[in-house]
Amino acid sequence: MVRDDGDNGLVAITPPKTQQMGESATARDINRIFVTSTTIRSILKDSGQRGARPAFRRYMTPGPDYSEAKALDFLNSQTPTTVEVRPYTTKKGKRVKSYTQTRNVSSLGDPRLGRLLYVGEAPSRTLHKSRKNSRGQVKQAAWTQLVTSQAKMTSYIKEIVQRVGLLKAGWGAAARQAGLDVNLPSFAARNSKRASGKGRFSDSNPSNIYVELSNTTPNASNKITKAAVNWVVSFRQKQIEREMQNRMKALAKAA
């Protein structure tokens, strides 16, 4: 049920599909929230605005012009522009023709700028949590915090990436509580101590043998669909039925 030889169990249907996919998605989400001073300087260099980099440097360097508020206002600056909206179909099926619209866009030419609210040496864990949706994902690429230390940004990403596999590890925790041994993928096993799960197994009554497993890791109910769990149960049930039929045929043949 949890992890069979064909990897069709509960661990397999629990995201991420692979370690690389999970780590890439985690790093991507973090970079949708936080931007480093190094990245900002690169954007200013490519913006074509004369004096942009020196202005940012003055705002962020201790001295008479130092002001985090001015730095944020400068980076969030917007300018109106006319864009053409392509034809599209609404959710109700109505076809909308193309049209032009005036919108405010980043004066520095990067759509991720415009909503910066904070400046800090290291990424804010509270902010990271607040930007996640109900499925634990960060959908919109709009920077909220300027991180002044590249080293602390790198360290934060490395730390959070280590949590990839935590949801999968929840099934291992449930199996252990039920007294069952399960080998987890290495990236899930590294989170075994942090994972949460409940399990119960009983074979005292031959006519009512059962196992109950529950993954209680945060966000498990949002990320693991009931349809996927039902598929695993159905798949395992069919396996058991085929195995029983094969054994019965073998016994009948031997008789």
Side-chain angles (χ1 to χ4, degrees):
M1 277 292 295
V2 179
R3 193 185 186 207
D4 63 10
D5 292 337
D7 217 8
N8 297 304
L10 295 169
V11 171
I13 58 97
T14 301
K17 189 174 182 179
T18 66
Q19 179 178 356
Q20 183 177 1
M21 290 174 64
E23 292 182 352
S24 296
T26 299
R28 179 200 63 213
D29 283 1
I30 292 173
N31 282 301
R32 283 178 171 175
I33 307 170
F34 308 103
V35 59
T36 63
S37 297
T38 302
T39 300
I40 290 296
R41 286 192 290 270
S42 178
I43 291 173
L44 296 178
K45 181 180 179 181
D46 297 334
S47 70
Q49 290 194 24
R50 189 174 181 180
R53 293 178 72 189
F56 176 70
R57 190 182 305 113
R58 288 198 307 273
Y59 294 144
M60 296 302 297
T61 303
D65 294 327
Y66 175 79
S67 173
E68 292 182 358
K70 288 184 178 180
L72 293 178
D73 286 342
F74 171 65
L75 296 175
N76 287 330
S77 61
Q78 301 281 298
T79 184
T81 187
T82 300
V83 297
E84 182 177 350
V85 180
R86 295 179 178 180
Y88 64 93
T89 303
T90 66
K91 292 182 179 180
K92 294 184 178 181
K94 182 180 179 181
R95 184 67 176 171
V96 179
K97 297 181 179 180
S98 63
Y99 61 94
T100 58
Q101 184 181 68
T102 300
R103 294 180 182 175
N104 287 329
V105 299
S106 170
S107 300
L108 300 173
D110 196 305
R112 295 168 293 183
L113 286 170
R115 300 184 181 180
L116 280 168
L117 299 176
Y118 311 101
V119 177
E121 186 179 12
S124 165
R125 298 175 188 275
T126 302
L127 180 57
H128 186 183
K129 184 177 181 180
S130 70
R131 281 287 304 273
K132 292 181 179 180
N133 60 19
S134 60
R135 293 178 62 83
Q137 302 168 328
V138 179
K139 286 295 185 181
Q140 187 176 17
W143 291 319
T144 311
Q145 181 187 345
L146 170 61
V147 178
T148 58
S149 172
Q150 180 66 56
K152 292 199 173 183
M153 177 71 160
T154 301
S155 177
Y156 183 75
I157 293 176
K158 184 178 180 180
E159 175 195 339
I160 302 302
V161 158
Q162 288 295 312
R163 301 178 186 178
V164 169
L166 179 61
L167 278 179
K168 289 182 182 291
W171 293 119
R176 285 195 302 274
Q177 193 172 101
L180 307 173
D181 292 326
V182 176
N183 291 321
L184 297 174
S186 59
F187 74 99
R190 70 188 180 189
N191 286 290
S192 292
K193 292 183 179 180
R194 299 180 62 251
S196 176
K198 296 180 180 180
R200 185 169 59 168
F201 170 70
S202 175
D203 60 355
S204 57
N205 183 352
S207 62
N208 186 29
I209 298 174
Y210 66 87
V211 59
E212 293 179 354
L213 303 173
S214 176
N215 191 331
T216 56
T217 306
N219 281 327
S221 59
N222 293 323
K223 289 194 172 186
I224 307 171
T225 66
K226 291 183 178 180
V229 173
N230 290 339
W231 180 88
V232 171
V233 174
S234 176
F235 181 84
R236 185 60 183 134
Q237 180 180 347
K238 291 176 181 177
Q239 283 184 315
I240 293 173
E241 290 174 350
R242 284 196 298 268
E243 185 176 347
M244 291 180 65
Q245 289 173 359
N246 290 337
R247 291 190 182 189
M248 291 174 68
K249 287 179 181 178
L251 288 172
K253 186 176 181 180

